[in-house]
Amino acid sequence: MASANPLSHHRCYLQIHICKAAEQDATHYIDPKSGQVVGVNHVTATLLEDDTQPAAGPMEPALEEQRAALEQVLSDYIATQYYDDTALCSVYAKDGELTVVISAEKLNLRNFWSGSWISSWTVKVGAASMDIEGEIKVRAHYFEDGNVQLQTKKACANTSIPKGSAGDVASAVQSHIATEEKVVQEGLEEMYTGMTEETFKAMRRVMPVHRNKVSWNINEARLNANLTSAGK
């Protein structure tokens, strides 16, 4: 599975993933799409434009066709499922494995919130099948008049995909990733709904300061609001 050193943590500088799978040495990372190796200054979190050179060749020639097919399918996937200019997908090949990294980040500092999504996968190439496993990490941060953060992750169990043409395998891997990401997305939506209806309700006073019980019946609350408005 893809891993990142503590200083980089899958950050994306321009269109380059800074992660373990892309690392050539401590300060150089490969962009598999362009075939360029780029220098990175970790202190200033910037690319070194004068320290860019072509890679010596494909990361792993025997897997290049499969790697390129998977990268193309996943690039099309994020173009339809993620906001424009917020997400990046990279596919790396090494030691008989493909590593997929999908990351997205959206910042809205003016309105005091930010969020990120990291989906990383390892595809092990076997003689008759390909095994895929991964992990999805989500972070949300809201900091207006406070500091509220959500950090969660989901490990996705190993699944085998029959070996076939590069295009067929790429489509099967993309379908599996899309399904797992949808599960996480729907789980978060369900959690937020439950927080409103259950968690926050449990945190409120049973008896408010005026000592009258609060009715949590939404229809009754709406009726009272309508009657109050009508009486004005």
Side-chain angles (χ1 to χ4, degrees):
M1 190 177 298
S3 61
N5 65 62
L7 294 178
S8 60
H9 196 64
H10 283 302
R11 288 177 184 166
C12 172
Y13 305 122
L14 297 182
Q15 295 297 311
I16 301 291
H17 271 121
I18 308 303
C19 63
K20 191 66 177 177
E23 185 178 277
Q24 303 296 289
D25 57 44
T27 59
H28 291 85
Y29 297 80
I30 189 170
D31 174 23
K33 289 181 181 176
S34 66
Q36 299 288 312
V37 175
V38 184
V40 174
N41 185 325
H42 292 291
V43 176
T44 59
T46 56
L47 291 173
L48 302 177
E49 296 182 6
D50 58 348
D51 188 10
T52 301
Q53 56 190 344
M59 299 185 72
E60 187 157 341
L63 293 178
E64 180 56 26
E65 181 184 4
Q66 185 65 78
R67 189 209 65 77
L70 181 55
E71 187 171 68
Q72 182 58 58
V73 169
L74 289 172
S75 294
D76 294 340
Y77 165 69
I78 67 170
T80 60
Q81 297 299 315
Y82 290 79
Y83 283 109
D84 292 341
D85 301 322
T86 63
L88 177 65
C89 169
S90 299
V91 182
Y92 308 91
K94 186 177 181 181
D95 298 331
E97 295 181 356
L98 298 172
T99 299
V100 176
V101 180
I102 300 174
S103 67
E105 185 173 45
K106 194 166 180 63
L107 304 176
N108 192 330
L109 301 183
R110 180 177 180 182
N111 290 310
F112 307 100
W113 62 263
S114 67
S116 66
W117 176 288
I118 300 170
S119 179
S120 56
W121 305 84
T122 297
V123 183
K124 297 181 179 179
V125 181
S129 65
M130 305 180 78
D131 295 334
I132 177 172
E133 62 179 346
E135 183 178 70
I136 300 172
K137 297 180 181 180
V138 182
R139 179 190 62 81
H141 186 199
Y142 183 76
F143 50 94
E144 182 177 15
D145 296 328
N147 186 2
V148 180
Q149 295 192 51
L150 164 72
Q151 295 191 51
T152 186
K153 66 179 179 179
K154 178 182 185 293
C156 304
N158 187 303
T159 299
S160 292
I161 296 173
K163 204 167 183 180
S165 68
D168 290 343
V169 171
S171 296
V173 172
Q174 181 270 321
S175 178
H176 177 72
I177 291 175
T179 298
E180 293 292 344
E181 291 195 335
K182 183 179 180 181
V183 169
V184 173
Q185 176 68 31
E186 291 179 345
L188 289 171
E189 292 177 355
E190 183 179 347
M191 181 196 70
Y192 284 128
T193 300
M195 287 177 64
T196 301
E197 297 179 354
E198 300 174 8
T199 307
F200 291 153
K201 176 181 173 180
M203 291 171 62
R204 296 187 178 104
R205 292 171 179 264
V206 176
M207 291 288 287
V209 176
H210 52 61
R211 308 302 296 170
N212 294 321
K213 286 188 176 181
V214 175
S215 173
W216 297 105
N217 187 311
I218 187 63
N219 294 321
E220 183 178 336
R222 287 172 178 168
L223 177 60
N224 289 336
N226 292 336
L227 292 174
T228 301
S229 300
K232 292 182 179 179

